[in-house]
Amino acid sequence: MREVKLHVTDLDGFFADAMEGARRIDSGDFSEQPGVVAFENMETLLKILTASRWQLLRTLKHQGKTSIRQLAKLLERDYRAVHSDVHALMAIDLIERDDRNQIFVPWDRITAEMAIDLAA
C-alpha cells in the first residue's frame, strides 16, 4: 500500500526525519517507506488542504485517471477553480500526471499527524 503522511514539524524535526532516512539507507534498508509532506505550521496545512481539495482528492481517487475537465464535471465545479486546486495539490505531490496527461492520486492512504505544541 502506498501511503503519504502529512504532518506539521519545525525545522529541527524536518532535518531529524531526513537524517533518520539517510541512516536507514546507509544501513542497507531500502524498504518502501511512506511518503512525507511536512508543513511548518497548521495554518499552512489547512490553507493547502481545504475541504474542497480533500473532496477533490477523494473523488479523483475513486474515479481513477482522468482529465481536469472531467474531474470538474464530476465535482460540478468551475474548471478554473478545479485546475487551480489540482495544481496546488500537484505541487505537494498528492496528485500526479501520467504520460497521457491524465491526473491521478498515487496514494492508497493519506494520513495527517500533528503535535498540539507545534500546531499552535
Side-chain angles (χ1 to χ4, degrees):
M1 171 173 53
R2 294 201 61 207
E3 179 180 6
V4 64
K5 293 183 179 184
L6 312 177
H7 70 111
V8 175
T9 188
D10 58 13
L11 199 54
D12 290 337
F14 174 82
F15 284 115
D17 290 345
M19 290 297 293
E20 177 57 32
R23 277 195 280 292
R24 192 182 64 257
I25 291 168
D26 286 346
S27 71
D29 179 0
F30 298 104
S31 62
E32 184 174 349
Q33 301 293 313
V36 175
V37 178
F39 295 89
E40 64 181 314
N41 56 52
M42 188 63 180
E43 292 77 15
T44 304
L45 187 153
L46 293 175
K47 184 178 177 184
I48 298 294
L49 196 59
T50 63
S52 62
R53 288 178 180 168
W54 185 251
Q55 180 186 18
L56 183 154
L57 284 167
R58 292 179 66 192
T59 300
L60 182 56
K61 183 63 179 179
H62 182 267
Q63 172 66 27
K65 293 181 179 185
T66 192
S67 68
I68 296 174
R69 185 164 309 283
Q70 181 61 33
L71 181 60
K73 287 179 185 178
L74 287 169
L75 292 167
E76 298 178 354
R77 290 182 52 204
D78 176 69
Y79 170 82
R80 285 178 287 185
V82 172
H83 183 273
S84 176
D85 285 348
V86 165
H87 282 272
L89 295 169
M90 286 176 71
I92 60 169
D93 296 325
L94 294 183
I95 292 178
E96 293 182 3
R97 190 181 299 272
D98 71 9
D99 57 351
R100 294 180 52 222
N101 215 26
Q102 300 282 292
I103 56 169
F104 65 100
V105 176
W107 311 105
D108 299 315
R109 182 177 181 94
I110 299 173
T111 60
E113 178 183 293
M114 70 206 86
I116 195 160
D117 59 334
L118 294 177

